[in-house]
Amino acid sequence: MADKIRIIDIAERAGVSAGTVDRVLHDRPNVSLAAREKVEKALKEMNYQPNAYASALAYNRSYTFYIVLPSHGSEAYWEDIEKGALKAKDQRSDFQIDVKFLYYERFNPESFNETSIECLRNNPDGVVLVPSSLDTTRNFTDKLHQRNISFILLDSFMPDLKPLSFYGQDSFQSGYFAAKMLMLIAHDEKEIMLMKQTNNGTVASKQQANREVGFRHYMKDHFPDVKIVEIDLESDSDRKHYDSKLEKFFTSHPSVHHCITLTSRAYIVGDFLLKTNRRDIQIMGYDVVDKNKKDLKAGAISFLIAQHAFQQGFSCIDTLFRAIVLKKKVQPINYMPIELLSKENIDFYHRMPI
């Protein structure tokens, strides 16, 4: 078998020393053109396939991958991204791989630019990036291309930036699916509430905006008479402010029994419903953060759509490892599954990669 071919076998076939074969296999200098051609001919004739894993170990060099994320508190989707990335690092403990995190303020282009400069200053071997706006992000990714630094886009897909790979959901299909699942239980409703979170009127990401496009597309095609009533719970507000706005909303919209948010913070509404004992109202949302999981089990959240955040974080680092360390080809677009979770199956949802 090809993987059992020894260096000495190649040397005998090529008529050169084992040291020469080793230098050719590892692309080292001090090999004459004639000797290199003999070795390469022997490799082709013997159908030699190098052991990428062993070769990478032999180099005994270190790699540092940076992950550029929005700053966040606890109970955030990004926490599982971080945990998955660190798990991938642990699983490659044979190699000297480090994973470092850098953070920027989500709605602040200047903060993103400062964080990108810091990242470049640290000379990363690879980058995982949650993008800001297209133009702001391009300023960073153009510099990464100039330095031949591979990067992976996470959460929002921007193909014009030419990333090595992308991990995330098909956001349009995700929003379309969310509407379809919601209306299985809300098909008789005249109004539904769409909870949004913005900063100065801007949604957090292209992904959330595309989810809303998919959501509204389904509603227009299948439930055009259902009124979608928006409430904006600004991302920088506190619990007291949220509760006040929600109280006013449900008092003025007594016919609303089903709500949806296209973010990971359904628990903002869920906690309010439990606290005020509104058992005839439910909200649907995204992501298996602990507060969402608690409200789902308590009945305030009807369904959650899983994004496999842990798996995304793990896969991003593993993909950089395979592409940069093992020199393997990787899949350029990786859409995550769209899974619907209820209180009956939430305990069987596994975040760990298999």
mmCIF file of all heavy atoms in Angstrom, residues 191-239:
data_model
loop_
_atom_site.group_PDB
_atom_site.id
_atom_site.type_symbol
_atom_site.label_atom_id
_atom_site.label_comp_id
_atom_site.label_asym_id
_atom_site.label_seq_id
_atom_site.Cartn_x
_atom_site.Cartn_y
_atom_site.Cartn_z
ATOM 1 N N GLU A 191 -52.800 38.352 14.282
ATOM 2 C CA GLU A 191 -51.596 39.145 14.496
ATOM 3 C C GLU A 191 -50.528 38.268 15.125
ATOM 4 O O GLU A 191 -50.831 37.405 15.949
ATOM 5 C CB GLU A 191 -51.859 40.327 15.443
ATOM 6 C CG GLU A 191 -52.724 41.438 14.895
ATOM 7 C CD GLU A 191 -52.825 42.586 15.885
ATOM 8 O OE1 GLU A 191 -52.916 42.330 17.105
ATOM 9 O OE2 GLU A 191 -52.815 43.751 15.446
ATOM 10 N N ILE A 192 -49.291 38.509 14.760
ATOM 11 C CA ILE A 192 -48.163 37.910 15.471
ATOM 12 C C ILE A 192 -47.142 39.011 15.734
ATOM 13 O O ILE A 192 -47.076 40.017 15.014
ATOM 14 C CB ILE A 192 -47.504 36.755 14.688
ATOM 15 C CG1 ILE A 192 -47.008 37.223 13.319
ATOM 16 C CG2 ILE A 192 -48.438 35.564 14.564
ATOM 17 C CD1 ILE A 192 -46.202 36.182 12.590
ATOM 18 N N MET A 193 -46.388 38.834 16.794
ATOM 19 C CA MET A 193 -45.392 39.835 17.148
ATOM 20 C C MET A 193 -44.004 39.412 16.648
ATOM 21 O O MET A 193 -43.602 38.270 16.835
ATOM 22 C CB MET A 193 -45.345 40.031 18.662
ATOM 23 C CG MET A 193 -44.363 41.117 19.114
ATOM 24 S SD MET A 193 -42.900 40.455 19.907
ATOM 25 C CE MET A 193 -43.462 40.392 21.602
ATOM 26 N N LEU A 194 -43.300 40.335 16.000
ATOM 27 C CA LEU A 194 -41.915 40.135 15.596
ATOM 28 C C LEU A 194 -41.033 40.995 16.486
ATOM 29 O O LEU A 194 -41.047 42.224 16.394
ATOM 30 C CB LEU A 194 -41.710 40.517 14.127
ATOM 31 C CG LEU A 194 -40.253 40.532 13.630
ATOM 32 C CD1 LEU A 194 -39.618 39.147 13.752
ATOM 33 C CD2 LEU A 194 -40.174 41.027 12.192
ATOM 34 N N MET A 195 -40.301 40.348 17.382
ATOM 35 C CA MET A 195 -39.385 41.077 18.252
ATOM 36 C C MET A 195 -38.051 41.263 17.531
ATOM 37 O O MET A 195 -37.452 40.311 17.037
ATOM 38 C CB MET A 195 -39.145 40.304 19.546
ATOM 39 C CG MET A 195 -38.115 40.964 20.461
ATOM 40 S SD MET A 195 -37.386 39.765 21.607
ATOM 41 C CE MET A 195 -35.658 40.208 21.505
ATOM 42 N N LYS A 196 -37.596 42.516 17.488
ATOM 43 C CA LYS A 196 -36.317 42.827 16.861
ATOM 44 C C LYS A 196 -35.411 43.483 17.887
ATOM 45 O O LYS A 196 -35.880 44.115 18.838
ATOM 46 C CB LYS A 196 -36.519 43.754 15.660
ATOM 47 C CG LYS A 196 -37.433 43.175 14.593
ATOM 48 C CD LYS A 196 -37.693 44.144 13.470
ATOM 49 C CE LYS A 196 -36.508 44.299 12.553
ATOM 50 N NZ LYS A 196 -36.860 45.048 11.316
ATOM 51 N N GLN A 197 -34.132 43.340 17.679
ATOM 52 C CA GLN A 197 -33.145 44.061 18.480
ATOM 53 C C GLN A 197 -32.220 44.812 17.537
ATOM 54 O O GLN A 197 -31.610 44.215 16.645
ATOM 55 C CB GLN A 197 -32.364 43.108 19.371
ATOM 56 C CG GLN A 197 -33.143 42.683 20.610
ATOM 57 C CD GLN A 197 -32.227 42.301 21.743
ATOM 58 O OE1 GLN A 197 -31.488 41.339 21.672
ATOM 59 N NE2 GLN A 197 -32.279 43.074 22.819
ATOM 60 N N THR A 198 -32.148 46.101 17.730
ATOM 61 C CA THR A 198 -31.326 46.939 16.864
ATOM 62 C C THR A 198 -30.496 47.887 17.704
ATOM 63 O O THR A 198 -30.689 48.016 18.914
ATOM 64 C CB THR A 198 -32.208 47.765 15.905
ATOM 65 O OG1 THR A 198 -33.015 48.659 16.671
ATOM 66 C CG2 THR A 198 -33.095 46.877 15.056
ATOM 67 N N ASN A 199 -29.595 48.545 17.036
ATOM 68 C CA ASN A 199 -28.820 49.624 17.643
ATOM 69 C C ASN A 199 -28.905 50.802 16.694
ATOM 70 O O ASN A 199 -28.418 50.727 15.561
ATOM 71 C CB ASN A 199 -27.366 49.193 17.849
ATOM 72 C CG ASN A 199 -26.540 50.233 18.571
ATOM 73 O OD1 ASN A 199 -26.207 51.267 17.998
ATOM 74 N ND2 ASN A 199 -26.229 49.979 19.821
ATOM 75 N N ASN A 200 -29.563 51.873 17.141
ATOM 76 C CA ASN A 200 -29.814 53.032 16.279
ATOM 77 C C ASN A 200 -30.491 52.637 14.973
ATOM 78 O O ASN A 200 -30.160 53.130 13.896
ATOM 79 C CB ASN A 200 -28.499 53.769 15.989
ATOM 80 C CG ASN A 200 -27.888 54.388 17.224
ATOM 81 O OD1 ASN A 200 -28.608 54.873 18.096
ATOM 82 N ND2 ASN A 200 -26.563 54.361 17.317
ATOM 83 N N GLY A 201 -31.420 51.690 15.093
ATOM 84 C CA GLY A 201 -32.202 51.262 13.942
ATOM 85 C C GLY A 201 -31.538 50.242 13.040
ATOM 86 O O GLY A 201 -32.108 49.854 12.021
ATOM 87 N N THR A 202 -30.358 49.772 13.404
ATOM 88 C CA THR A 202 -29.612 48.826 12.575
ATOM 89 C C THR A 202 -29.619 47.444 13.211
ATOM 90 O O THR A 202 -29.294 47.319 14.396
ATOM 91 C CB THR A 202 -28.155 49.287 12.386
ATOM 92 O OG1 THR A 202 -28.156 50.604 11.817
ATOM 93 C CG2 THR A 202 -27.398 48.327 11.474
ATOM 94 N N VAL A 203 -29.981 46.416 12.436
ATOM 95 C CA VAL A 203 -29.948 45.056 12.960
ATOM 96 C C VAL A 203 -28.498 44.610 13.087
ATOM 97 O O VAL A 203 -27.600 45.144 12.433
ATOM 98 C CB VAL A 203 -30.724 44.071 12.066
ATOM 99 C CG1 VAL A 203 -32.206 44.424 12.030
ATOM 100 C CG2 VAL A 203 -30.143 44.037 10.657
ATOM 101 N N ALA A 204 -28.298 43.585 13.921
ATOM 102 C CA ALA A 204 -26.938 43.217 14.307
ATOM 103 C C ALA A 204 -26.115 42.643 13.169
ATOM 104 O O ALA A 204 -24.904 42.793 13.140
ATOM 105 C CB ALA A 204 -26.985 42.228 15.464
ATOM 106 N N SER A 205 -26.748 41.947 12.228
ATOM 107 C CA SER A 205 -25.948 41.257 11.217
ATOM 108 C C SER A 205 -26.728 41.068 9.930
ATOM 109 O O SER A 205 -27.962 41.135 9.900
ATOM 110 C CB SER A 205 -25.501 39.880 11.739
ATOM 111 O OG SER A 205 -26.620 39.016 11.856
ATOM 112 N N LYS A 206 -25.985 40.820 8.872
ATOM 113 C CA LYS A 206 -26.588 40.487 7.581
ATOM 114 C C LYS A 206 -27.411 39.211 7.713
ATOM 115 O O LYS A 206 -28.462 39.072 7.074
ATOM 116 C CB LYS A 206 -25.482 40.317 6.536
ATOM 117 C CG LYS A 206 -25.983 39.956 5.150
ATOM 118 C CD LYS A 206 -24.827 39.752 4.194
ATOM 119 C CE LYS A 206 -25.329 39.316 2.819
ATOM 120 N NZ LYS A 206 -24.198 39.045 1.881
ATOM 121 N N GLN A 207 -26.955 38.279 8.536
ATOM 122 C CA GLN A 207 -27.678 37.027 8.721
ATOM 123 C C GLN A 207 -29.087 37.286 9.243
ATOM 124 O O GLN A 207 -30.065 36.732 8.738
ATOM 125 C CB GLN A 207 -26.921 36.112 9.679
ATOM 126 C CG GLN A 207 -27.585 34.753 9.874
ATOM 127 C CD GLN A 207 -26.991 33.990 11.037
ATOM 128 O OE1 GLN A 207 -26.980 34.472 12.160
ATOM 129 N NE2 GLN A 207 -26.485 32.809 10.759
ATOM 130 N N GLN A 208 -29.216 38.125 10.271
ATOM 131 C CA GLN A 208 -30.538 38.412 10.822
ATOM 132 C C GLN A 208 -31.416 39.129 9.802
ATOM 133 O O GLN A 208 -32.618 38.864 9.706
ATOM 134 C CB GLN A 208 -30.407 39.240 12.093
ATOM 135 C CG GLN A 208 -29.889 38.440 13.278
ATOM 136 C CD GLN A 208 -29.840 39.275 14.550
ATOM 137 O OE1 GLN A 208 -30.706 40.113 14.778
ATOM 138 N NE2 GLN A 208 -28.828 39.043 15.364
ATOM 139 N N ALA A 209 -30.838 40.037 9.041
ATOM 140 C CA ALA A 209 -31.605 40.738 8.017
ATOM 141 C C ALA A 209 -32.122 39.757 6.970
ATOM 142 O O ALA A 209 -33.277 39.843 6.537
ATOM 143 C CB ALA A 209 -30.738 41.817 7.372
ATOM 144 N N ASN A 210 -31.278 38.811 6.567
ATOM 145 C CA ASN A 210 -31.704 37.827 5.567
ATOM 146 C C ASN A 210 -32.741 36.853 6.124
ATOM 147 O O ASN A 210 -33.621 36.383 5.396
ATOM 148 C CB ASN A 210 -30.497 37.053 5.043
ATOM 149 C CG ASN A 210 -29.652 37.883 4.093
ATOM 150 O OD1 ASN A 210 -30.117 38.905 3.571
ATOM 151 N ND2 ASN A 210 -28.422 37.459 3.860
ATOM 152 N N ARG A 211 -32.638 36.535 7.415
ATOM 153 C CA ARG A 211 -33.682 35.709 8.034
ATOM 154 C C ARG A 211 -35.038 36.404 7.927
ATOM 155 O O ARG A 211 -36.056 35.764 7.636
ATOM 156 C CB ARG A 211 -33.349 35.448 9.499
ATOM 157 C CG ARG A 211 -32.281 34.432 9.756
ATOM 158 C CD ARG A 211 -32.054 34.336 11.262
ATOM 159 N NE ARG A 211 -30.881 33.551 11.596
ATOM 160 C CZ ARG A 211 -30.278 33.579 12.771
ATOM 161 N NH1 ARG A 211 -30.747 34.360 13.736
ATOM 162 N NH2 ARG A 211 -29.212 32.835 13.002
ATOM 163 N N GLU A 212 -35.033 37.709 8.191
ATOM 164 C CA GLU A 212 -36.304 38.435 8.132
ATOM 165 C C GLU A 212 -36.857 38.443 6.718
ATOM 166 O O GLU A 212 -38.083 38.353 6.520
ATOM 167 C CB GLU A 212 -36.131 39.862 8.647
ATOM 168 C CG GLU A 212 -37.451 40.607 8.711
ATOM 169 C CD GLU A 212 -37.350 41.975 9.367
ATOM 170 O OE1 GLU A 212 -36.344 42.241 10.059
ATOM 171 O OE2 GLU A 212 -38.290 42.781 9.183
ATOM 172 N N VAL A 213 -35.993 38.548 5.717
ATOM 173 C CA VAL A 213 -36.458 38.485 4.329
ATOM 174 C C VAL A 213 -37.134 37.142 4.063
ATOM 175 O O VAL A 213 -38.222 37.078 3.476
ATOM 176 C CB VAL A 213 -35.287 38.708 3.351
ATOM 177 C CG1 VAL A 213 -35.735 38.458 1.913
ATOM 178 C CG2 VAL A 213 -34.734 40.122 3.488
ATOM 179 N N GLY A 214 -36.484 36.042 4.496
ATOM 180 C CA GLY A 214 -37.069 34.725 4.312
ATOM 181 C C GLY A 214 -38.374 34.569 5.073
ATOM 182 O O GLY A 214 -39.347 33.997 4.560
ATOM 183 N N PHE A 215 -38.405 35.081 6.303
ATOM 184 C CA PHE A 215 -39.610 35.014 7.135
ATOM 185 C C PHE A 215 -40.777 35.740 6.462
ATOM 186 O O PHE A 215 -41.883 35.192 6.323
ATOM 187 C CB PHE A 215 -39.309 35.638 8.498
ATOM 188 C CG PHE A 215 -40.500 35.775 9.393
ATOM 189 C CD1 PHE A 215 -40.954 34.693 10.130
ATOM 190 C CD2 PHE A 215 -41.179 36.984 9.490
ATOM 191 C CE1 PHE A 215 -42.069 34.810 10.953
ATOM 192 C CE2 PHE A 215 -42.281 37.111 10.307
ATOM 193 C CZ PHE A 215 -42.733 36.023 11.040
ATOM 194 N N ARG A 216 -40.536 36.950 6.030
ATOM 195 C CA ARG A 216 -41.606 37.740 5.420
ATOM 196 C C ARG A 216 -42.021 37.165 4.062
ATOM 197 O O ARG A 216 -43.196 37.275 3.668
ATOM 198 C CB ARG A 216 -41.171 39.196 5.286
ATOM 199 C CG ARG A 216 -41.067 39.911 6.634
ATOM 200 C CD ARG A 216 -40.757 41.385 6.468
ATOM 201 N NE ARG A 216 -40.695 42.075 7.748
ATOM 202 C CZ ARG A 216 -41.746 42.563 8.404
ATOM 203 N NH1 ARG A 216 -42.967 42.419 7.883
ATOM 204 N NH2 ARG A 216 -41.597 43.182 9.565
ATOM 205 N N HIS A 217 -41.094 36.563 3.362
ATOM 206 C CA HIS A 217 -41.418 35.944 2.075
ATOM 207 C C HIS A 217 -42.433 34.819 2.277
ATOM 208 O O HIS A 217 -43.427 34.731 1.526
ATOM 209 C CB HIS A 217 -40.139 35.403 1.433
ATOM 210 C CG HIS A 217 -40.331 34.908 0.029
ATOM 211 N ND1 HIS A 217 -40.321 35.737 -1.064
ATOM 212 C CD2 HIS A 217 -40.550 33.659 -0.453
ATOM 213 C CE1 HIS A 217 -40.524 35.030 -2.160
ATOM 214 N NE2 HIS A 217 -40.656 33.760 -1.824
ATOM 215 N N TYR A 218 -42.199 33.983 3.294
ATOM 216 C CA TYR A 218 -43.141 32.899 3.568
ATOM 217 C C TYR A 218 -44.505 33.461 3.976
ATOM 218 O O TYR A 218 -45.555 32.997 3.509
ATOM 219 C CB TYR A 218 -42.614 31.979 4.662
ATOM 220 C CG TYR A 218 -43.580 30.858 4.995
ATOM 221 C CD1 TYR A 218 -43.538 29.660 4.285
ATOM 222 C CD2 TYR A 218 -44.553 31.023 5.989
ATOM 223 C CE1 TYR A 218 -44.447 28.635 4.560
ATOM 224 C CE2 TYR A 218 -45.462 30.014 6.265
ATOM 225 C CZ TYR A 218 -45.404 28.816 5.553
ATOM 226 O OH TYR A 218 -46.311 27.828 5.817
ATOM 227 N N MET A 219 -44.491 34.446 4.856
ATOM 228 C CA MET A 219 -45.759 35.003 5.343
ATOM 229 C C MET A 219 -46.554 35.645 4.216
ATOM 230 O O MET A 219 -47.789 35.500 4.142
ATOM 231 C CB MET A 219 -45.483 36.021 6.449
ATOM 232 C CG MET A 219 -44.868 35.429 7.710
ATOM 233 S SD MET A 219 -45.904 34.173 8.492
ATOM 234 C CE MET A 219 -47.315 35.174 9.005
ATOM 235 N N LYS A 220 -45.888 36.343 3.327
ATOM 236 C CA LYS A 220 -46.576 36.982 2.204
ATOM 237 C C LYS A 220 -47.208 35.947 1.286
ATOM 238 O O LYS A 220 -48.330 36.127 0.797
ATOM 239 C CB LYS A 220 -45.592 37.852 1.430
ATOM 240 C CG LYS A 220 -46.222 38.587 0.242
ATOM 241 C CD LYS A 220 -45.193 39.437 -0.482
ATOM 242 C CE LYS A 220 -45.825 40.146 -1.681
ATOM 243 N NZ LYS A 220 -44.819 40.970 -2.418
ATOM 244 N N ASP A 221 -46.494 34.841 1.058
ATOM 245 C CA ASP A 221 -46.997 33.811 0.145
ATOM 246 C C ASP A 221 -48.119 32.977 0.748
ATOM 247 O O ASP A 221 -49.032 32.548 0.038
ATOM 248 C CB ASP A 221 -45.853 32.878 -0.273
ATOM 249 C CG ASP A 221 -44.906 33.528 -1.269
ATOM 250 O OD1 ASP A 221 -45.239 34.619 -1.773
ATOM 251 O OD2 ASP A 221 -43.839 32.947 -1.532
ATOM 252 N N HIS A 222 -48.059 32.719 2.065
ATOM 253 C CA HIS A 222 -48.968 31.746 2.662
ATOM 254 C C HIS A 222 -49.955 32.329 3.673
ATOM 255 O O HIS A 222 -51.043 31.758 3.858
ATOM 256 C CB HIS A 222 -48.152 30.647 3.334
ATOM 257 C CG HIS A 222 -47.284 29.891 2.378
ATOM 258 N ND1 HIS A 222 -47.764 28.877 1.579
ATOM 259 C CD2 HIS A 222 -45.960 30.015 2.079
ATOM 260 C CE1 HIS A 222 -46.768 28.396 0.824
ATOM 261 N NE2 HIS A 222 -45.673 29.069 1.109
ATOM 262 N N PHE A 223 -49.612 33.428 4.306
ATOM 263 C CA PHE A 223 -50.502 34.046 5.291
ATOM 264 C C PHE A 223 -50.509 35.570 5.101
ATOM 265 O O PHE A 223 -50.135 36.322 6.010
ATOM 266 C CB PHE A 223 -50.060 33.690 6.716
ATOM 267 C CG PHE A 223 -50.237 32.232 7.062
ATOM 268 C CD1 PHE A 223 -49.208 31.326 6.832
ATOM 269 C CD2 PHE A 223 -51.427 31.772 7.604
ATOM 270 C CE1 PHE A 223 -49.369 29.977 7.136
ATOM 271 C CE2 PHE A 223 -51.604 30.429 7.914
ATOM 272 C CZ PHE A 223 -50.575 29.529 7.681
ATOM 273 N N PRO A 224 -50.911 36.016 3.930
ATOM 274 C CA PRO A 224 -50.823 37.456 3.638
ATOM 275 C C PRO A 224 -51.723 38.321 4.517
ATOM 276 O O PRO A 224 -51.471 39.523 4.647
ATOM 277 C CB PRO A 224 -51.254 37.532 2.171
ATOM 278 C CG PRO A 224 -52.102 36.315 1.958
ATOM 279 C CD PRO A 224 -51.493 35.255 2.821
ATOM 280 N N ASP A 225 -52.756 37.727 5.134
ATOM 281 C CA ASP A 225 -53.686 38.512 5.936
ATOM 282 C C ASP A 225 -53.268 38.620 7.413
ATOM 283 O O ASP A 225 -53.908 39.354 8.181
ATOM 284 C CB ASP A 225 -55.095 37.921 5.851
ATOM 285 C CG ASP A 225 -55.656 37.990 4.435
ATOM 286 O OD1 ASP A 225 -55.309 38.948 3.718
ATOM 287 O OD2 ASP A 225 -56.425 37.087 4.047
ATOM 288 N N VAL A 226 -52.230 37.882 7.793
ATOM 289 C CA VAL A 226 -51.762 37.959 9.170
ATOM 290 C C VAL A 226 -50.889 39.211 9.331
ATOM 291 O O VAL A 226 -49.923 39.404 8.588
ATOM 292 C CB VAL A 226 -50.959 36.699 9.558
ATOM 293 C CG1 VAL A 226 -50.353 36.865 10.948
ATOM 294 C CG2 VAL A 226 -51.853 35.467 9.525
ATOM 295 N N LYS A 227 -51.237 40.024 10.292
ATOM 296 C CA LYS A 227 -50.485 41.256 10.530
ATOM 297 C C LYS A 227 -49.249 40.967 11.367
ATOM 298 O O LYS A 227 -49.332 40.324 12.420
ATOM 299 C CB LYS A 227 -51.373 42.275 11.247
ATOM 300 C CG LYS A 227 -50.715 43.637 11.430
ATOM 301 C CD LYS A 227 -51.666 44.619 12.104
ATOM 302 C CE LYS A 227 -51.015 45.988 12.282
ATOM 303 N NZ LYS A 227 -51.944 46.946 12.948
ATOM 304 N N ILE A 228 -48.098 41.430 10.906
ATOM 305 C CA ILE A 228 -46.845 41.280 11.644
ATOM 306 C C ILE A 228 -46.578 42.585 12.370
ATOM 307 O O ILE A 228 -46.318 43.622 11.762
ATOM 308 C CB ILE A 228 -45.676 40.946 10.698
ATOM 309 C CG1 ILE A 228 -45.962 39.643 9.929
ATOM 310 C CG2 ILE A 228 -44.371 40.821 11.480
ATOM 311 C CD1 ILE A 228 -44.979 39.352 8.817
ATOM 312 N N VAL A 229 -46.685 42.544 13.700
ATOM 313 C CA VAL A 229 -46.509 43.750 14.519
ATOM 314 C C VAL A 229 -45.103 43.725 15.127
ATOM 315 O O VAL A 229 -44.757 42.812 15.870
ATOM 316 C CB VAL A 229 -47.555 43.822 15.637
ATOM 317 C CG1 VAL A 229 -47.452 45.163 16.362
ATOM 318 C CG2 VAL A 229 -48.953 43.626 15.076
ATOM 319 N N GLU A 230 -44.310 44.724 14.821
ATOM 320 C CA GLU A 230 -42.926 44.761 15.294
ATOM 321 C C GLU A 230 -42.812 45.440 16.658
ATOM 322 O O GLU A 230 -43.547 46.385 16.954
ATOM 323 C CB GLU A 230 -42.034 45.505 14.310
ATOM 324 C CG GLU A 230 -41.827 44.811 12.987
ATOM 325 C CD GLU A 230 -40.782 45.518 12.141
ATOM 326 O OE1 GLU A 230 -40.070 46.404 12.674
ATOM 327 O OE2 GLU A 230 -40.673 45.191 10.948
ATOM 328 N N ILE A 231 -41.893 44.933 17.462
ATOM 329 C CA ILE A 231 -41.460 45.642 18.657
ATOM 330 C C ILE A 231 -39.937 45.599 18.683
ATOM 331 O O ILE A 231 -39.333 44.546 18.462
ATOM 332 C CB ILE A 231 -42.048 45.026 19.952
ATOM 333 C CG1 ILE A 231 -41.561 45.809 21.178
ATOM 334 C CG2 ILE A 231 -41.728 43.552 20.066
ATOM 335 C CD1 ILE A 231 -42.233 45.393 22.480
ATOM 336 N N ASP A 232 -39.326 46.751 18.893
ATOM 337 C CA ASP A 232 -37.868 46.845 18.905
ATOM 338 C C ASP A 232 -37.393 46.987 20.345
ATOM 339 O O ASP A 232 -37.648 48.013 20.992
ATOM 340 C CB ASP A 232 -37.414 48.048 18.068
ATOM 341 C CG ASP A 232 -35.901 48.155 17.975
ATOM 342 O OD1 ASP A 232 -35.211 47.229 18.465
ATOM 343 O OD2 ASP A 232 -35.411 49.156 17.421
ATOM 344 N N LEU A 233 -36.738 45.947 20.843
ATOM 345 C CA LEU A 233 -36.133 45.999 22.171
ATOM 346 C C LEU A 233 -34.648 46.271 21.975
ATOM 347 O O LEU A 233 -33.864 45.368 21.686
ATOM 348 C CB LEU A 233 -36.374 44.686 22.920
ATOM 349 C CG LEU A 233 -37.843 44.283 23.086
ATOM 350 C CD1 LEU A 233 -37.954 42.977 23.869
ATOM 351 C CD2 LEU A 233 -38.638 45.375 23.771
ATOM 352 N N GLU A 234 -34.269 47.521 22.072
ATOM 353 C CA GLU A 234 -32.928 47.967 21.718
ATOM 354 C C GLU A 234 -31.871 47.147 22.460
ATOM 355 O O GLU A 234 -32.013 46.830 23.640
ATOM 356 C CB GLU A 234 -32.756 49.447 22.040
ATOM 357 C CG GLU A 234 -33.697 50.361 21.271
ATOM 358 C CD GLU A 234 -35.046 50.538 21.970
ATOM 359 O OE1 GLU A 234 -35.302 49.799 22.948
ATOM 360 O OE2 GLU A 234 -35.827 51.406 21.544
ATOM 361 N N SER A 235 -30.802 46.829 21.764
ATOM 362 C CA SER A 235 -29.811 45.895 22.295
ATOM 363 C C SER A 235 -29.080 46.424 23.527
ATOM 364 O O SER A 235 -28.551 45.647 24.322
ATOM 365 C CB SER A 235 -28.792 45.540 21.208
ATOM 366 O OG SER A 235 -28.140 46.704 20.734
ATOM 367 N N ASP A 236 -29.049 47.741 23.705
ATOM 368 C CA ASP A 236 -28.291 48.296 24.827
ATOM 369 C C ASP A 236 -29.178 48.691 26.012
ATOM 370 O O ASP A 236 -28.743 49.408 26.911
ATOM 371 C CB ASP A 236 -27.474 49.506 24.368
ATOM 372 C CG ASP A 236 -28.349 50.608 23.756
ATOM 373 O OD1 ASP A 236 -29.553 50.361 23.541
ATOM 374 O OD2 ASP A 236 -27.818 51.704 23.482
ATOM 375 N N SER A 237 -30.443 48.211 26.044
ATOM 376 C CA SER A 237 -31.351 48.561 27.130
ATOM 377 C C SER A 237 -31.265 47.543 28.264
ATOM 378 O O SER A 237 -30.662 46.474 28.125
ATOM 379 C CB SER A 237 -32.789 48.651 26.611
ATOM 380 O OG SER A 237 -32.919 49.707 25.667
ATOM 381 N N ASP A 238 -31.910 47.866 29.380
ATOM 382 C CA ASP A 238 -31.870 46.975 30.527
ATOM 383 C C ASP A 238 -33.208 46.264 30.718
ATOM 384 O O ASP A 238 -34.182 46.521 30.016
ATOM 385 C CB ASP A 238 -31.474 47.726 31.798
ATOM 386 C CG ASP A 238 -32.420 48.886 32.121
ATOM 387 O OD1 ASP A 238 -33.583 48.889 31.631
ATOM 388 O OD2 ASP A 238 -32.008 49.796 32.854
ATOM 389 N N ARG A 239 -33.249 45.373 31.703
ATOM 390 C CA ARG A 239 -34.420 44.545 31.947
ATOM 391 C C ARG A 239 -35.665 45.383 32.251
ATOM 392 O O ARG A 239 -36.757 45.089 31.772
ATOM 393 C CB ARG A 239 -34.114 43.614 33.121
ATOM 394 C CG ARG A 239 -35.228 42.671 33.528
ATOM 395 C CD ARG A 239 -35.300 41.480 32.596
ATOM 396 N NE ARG A 239 -36.454 41.551 31.730
ATOM 397 C CZ ARG A 239 -36.751 40.621 30.816
ATOM 398 N NH1 ARG A 239 -35.932 39.593 30.640
ATOM 399 N NH2 ARG A 239 -37.811 40.732 30.064
#
